[in-house]
Amino acid sequence: MRNIYENIEFIKNNINLIKNGSAAVDIVVVTKTFPCQDILEALKCGIKHIGESRMQEALPKFQQLGLSLSGINKHFIGHLQSNKAKKAVENFDLIQSLDSIKLAYDLNRHAKIIGKTQNCLIEVKVSQEITKTGVGLSNVKKFYKQCQMIPNILIKGLMVITPHCNFEDSRFYFKLVYNLFKDIKESFDAVGFDILSMGMSEDYKIAIEEGSNMIRIGSAIFGDRDRENK
Ligand SMILES: *Cc1c(COP(=O)(O)O)cnc(C)c1O
């Protein structure tokens, strides 16, 4: 039997153990593939951030949840195609998966139309797997600089998905991205560049030890989803 409340408390407790009550780590509850009842239950536990990865799944759920989502930050965490940029800007507070300049300009255009500054994270690619999306590690600084010139998007930080690997390899990748995060913060006038989104159900504790301040958790809260949907 799963218990959403207990699972969330367990994760919060782990965060406190690692951080010793210092500096906060935000939990983004990843609700993809899980129904609205589950989301409502997580919200009752005081969750303030939810993450979805597919537009066609997210929007009907948001509509159904209606006012229950007021004050809740909605994160887009999946690969975003340019033809979905408009819907993303209209419906999401933070787009964690910015991975190309073309997408940045598409988001900018739609944000401008509705008078919004769209908050985004740059998705960093740390693995050589050809299927992985994201901006290659060595190109992220240049990409950040280019984005600084785009008026209606604001880069709030970095996001990384580590490849499936053992914990020590994950730690290695988390360290790389943390160093890059610090480097950008120090090298540029990086106003509002404060979010380091790394860590999922399996590796969030290591990610926090390595400096993450935002974790994205699905299965450790809701139970295992169909592997194919991952
Ligand atoms: C699905 C997903 C998560 C959550 O994964 P779990 O292993 O279920 O915690 C986190 N981040 C991204 C980008 C995802 O697609």
Side-chain angles (χ1 to χ4, degrees):
M1 258 295 280
R2 67 189 187 141
N3 182 321
I4 291 173
Y5 174 80
E6 279 177 14
N7 291 344
I8 290 174
E9 287 304 304
F10 179 76
I11 293 163
K12 284 184 182 167
N13 192 47
N14 279 334
I15 294 172
N16 281 332
L17 288 174
I18 298 166
K19 302 296 293 186
N20 242 318
S22 70
V25 176
D26 285 320
I27 303 172
V28 178
V29 173
V30 176
T31 54
K32 67 173 189 225
T33 75
F34 296 106
C36 289
Q37 306 94 276
D38 287 356
I39 304 178
L40 286 171
E41 221 177 309
L43 295 180
K44 270 195 256 161
C45 305
I47 284 299
K48 292 283 177 250
H49 303 270
I50 62 170
E52 286 278 340
S53 59
R54 273 184 245 118
M55 204 60 69
Q56 61 271 35
E57 179 191 341
L59 299 189
K61 281 157 82 176
F62 289 171
Q63 193 166 19
Q64 197 185 331
L65 289 162
L67 285 178
S68 311
L69 291 180
S70 53
I72 304 301
N73 294 292
K74 287 166 278 175
H75 298 237
F76 193 83
I77 60 171
H79 178 62
L80 185 57
Q81 293 155 305
S82 279
N83 63 0
K84 306 257 168 60
K86 179 172 188 282
K87 289 236 177 329
V89 166
E90 288 169 349
N91 291 283
F92 286 87
D93 301 289
L94 182 66
I95 293 167
Q96 296 210 7
S97 44
L98 177 61
D99 62 356
S100 76
I101 279 294
K102 177 176 187 316
L103 179 60
Y105 276 104
D106 286 328
L107 293 171
N108 177 66
R109 193 172 72 247
H110 293 293
K112 188 172 179 205
I113 290 168
I114 62 169
K116 179 184 185 184
T117 299
Q118 179 63 55
N119 290 334
C120 301
L121 304 182
I122 298 170
E123 181 178 344
V124 183
K125 179 165 83 172
V126 291
S127 128
Q128 300 311 313
E129 292 171 46
I130 27 170
T131 51
K132 277 262 186 286
T133 53
V135 179
L137 210 56
S138 54
N139 296 323
V140 173
K141 275 180 92 169
K142 183 170 148 234
F143 186 81
Y144 176 80
K145 235 162 99 176
Q146 289 174 307
C147 288
Q148 270 192 319
M149 321 279 273
I150 307 177
N152 285 69
I153 67 169
L154 181 64
I155 304 298
K156 300 283 291 181
L158 304 179
M159 185 271 262
V160 67
I161 305 169
T162 48
H164 290 290
C165 56
N166 66 47
F167 289 149
E168 285 319 304
D169 286 348
S170 292
R171 190 183 294 283
F172 170 79
Y173 290 125
F174 290 144
K175 274 187 207 290
L176 282 181
V177 179
Y178 176 76
N179 287 332
L180 177 62
F181 177 72
K182 261 194 9 199
D183 184 12
I184 291 175
K185 232 178 135 47
E186 285 159 15
S187 314
F188 301 101
D189 183 19
V191 179
F193 189 85
D194 294 316
I195 301 176
L196 183 55
S197 173
M198 48 184 207
M200 305 178 20
S201 290
E202 286 185 358
D203 55 13
Y204 72 90
K205 288 192 270 184
I206 299 170
I208 295 168
E209 285 167 6
E210 299 304 332
S212 167
N213 58 23
M214 180 174 281
I215 56 177
R216 309 177 308 270
I217 310 287
S219 51
I221 291 172
F222 297 122
D224 267 329
R225 66 174 67 80
D226 188 346
R227 283 250 147 211
E228 248 139 77
N229 285 324
K230 269 211 159 173

